[in-house]
Amino acid sequence: MAEEPTGTKGERSRQALLDAAIERFARDGYRATSVTDIARDAQLSGTAAYAYFANKEALFVAAVDEDAAGVIAEGLVKVMEDTGDDSWREELIFTLLDALGRHPLARRVLAGLEPDFTVRLIGIPALEQLRKATAERLQAQQISGDVRDDVDVDEIAGGMIVITLSLLMSLIQTGTEPAVLLGAEVRAVFEAALRPPRLRPRHRS
């Protein structure tokens, strides 16, 4: 038995446009794609898109937000997993990198193929959710003594997300093997920033 469609007709049409836009923009790019192409792919009339999006740029921005949010949702799961240790910090970037394989428009933007819109990724609403979840996880680790208590978790979380995005862009744009770019050196930076200092044994005189 076929599932009943959910949402209003308008909501379904808007989602169909977003789905078609993600696929078409990811494949052909912003400049080579028209709103008419996307409406046709969504099986709507050529002017239907303008009932939901003011112009092609607005549709593109909404499509990037939608696709990137899917990537970030997978990262959120990793951040909120109760692993009992700090492995989530290292695994977060691998989770996001893996998710980009299923979200082609977000990957295209991170690859630098849409330079006018790359900065858009820094401000998407879903990224704020990831920052907040990261800060909460760091705060919990402060309470357990696994993270220094003299750092501002909100600032550190914001910095971690910016560094993670930068590393993702480097991985995608250069084709570098993740194990090379995300080796012991990167781990050491996070350890130095977050790990409580170890007490040095006192030397007897």
Side-chain angles (χ1 to χ4, degrees):
M1 186 175 180
E3 291 185 9
E4 289 292 324
T6 58
T8 65
K9 182 179 178 181
E11 289 169 342
R12 294 195 300 273
S13 295
R14 186 181 188 279
Q15 189 60 52
L17 284 164
L18 280 175
D19 292 342
I22 289 169
E23 184 175 344
R24 175 71 76 154
F25 282 133
R27 185 178 71 239
D28 298 339
Y30 180 78
R31 293 186 181 280
T33 298
S34 71
V35 175
T36 301
D37 292 332
I38 293 167
R40 187 186 307 115
D41 292 346
Q43 299 182 333
L44 296 169
S45 68
T47 59
Y50 296 106
Y52 307 96
F53 305 99
N55 48 43
K56 185 171 79 167
E57 180 176 343
L59 177 53
F60 183 84
V61 167
V64 170
D65 284 0
E66 176 88 358
D67 206 37
V71 176
I72 292 167
E74 296 191 38
L76 274 170
V77 171
K78 177 57 63 180
V79 171
M80 293 188 294
E81 274 183 358
D82 185 11
T83 57
D85 56 30
D86 57 12
S87 62
W88 65 274
R89 297 200 297 258
E90 187 174 346
E91 292 172 4
L92 173 59
I93 191 167
F94 288 100
T95 299
L96 294 173
L97 187 62
D98 180 63
L100 284 168
R102 294 180 289 279
H103 296 276
L105 183 55
R107 185 181 182 89
R108 180 182 179 88
V109 174
L110 280 175
L113 298 177
E114 302 291 349
D116 293 340
F117 296 95
T118 302
V119 71
R120 174 67 191 173
L121 291 178
I122 303 297
I124 65 171
L127 201 59
E128 183 55 37
Q129 289 181 282
L130 186 58
R131 288 192 192 97
K132 183 179 178 182
T134 299
E136 290 173 352
R137 185 68 186 268
L138 290 171
Q139 187 173 46
Q141 289 191 299
Q142 274 187 329
I143 294 170
S144 67
D146 295 317
V147 166
R148 293 168 50 179
D149 61 8
D150 62 338
V151 297
D152 185 313
V153 293
D154 291 318
E155 289 183 355
I156 292 291
M160 285 178 64
I161 299 307
V162 171
I163 290 170
T164 298
L165 278 177
S166 299
L167 289 170
L168 283 172
M169 291 174 69
S170 295
L171 286 167
I172 294 170
Q173 292 182 22
T174 65
T176 306
E177 284 293 321
V180 174
L181 190 61
L182 306 175
E185 293 87 353
V186 173
R187 192 180 309 115
V189 170
F190 282 115
E191 290 292 315
L194 298 172
R195 180 71 65 184
R198 296 176 182 174
L199 293 176
R200 295 182 180 180
R202 293 180 179 177
H203 294 287
R204 293 181 179 178
S205 55

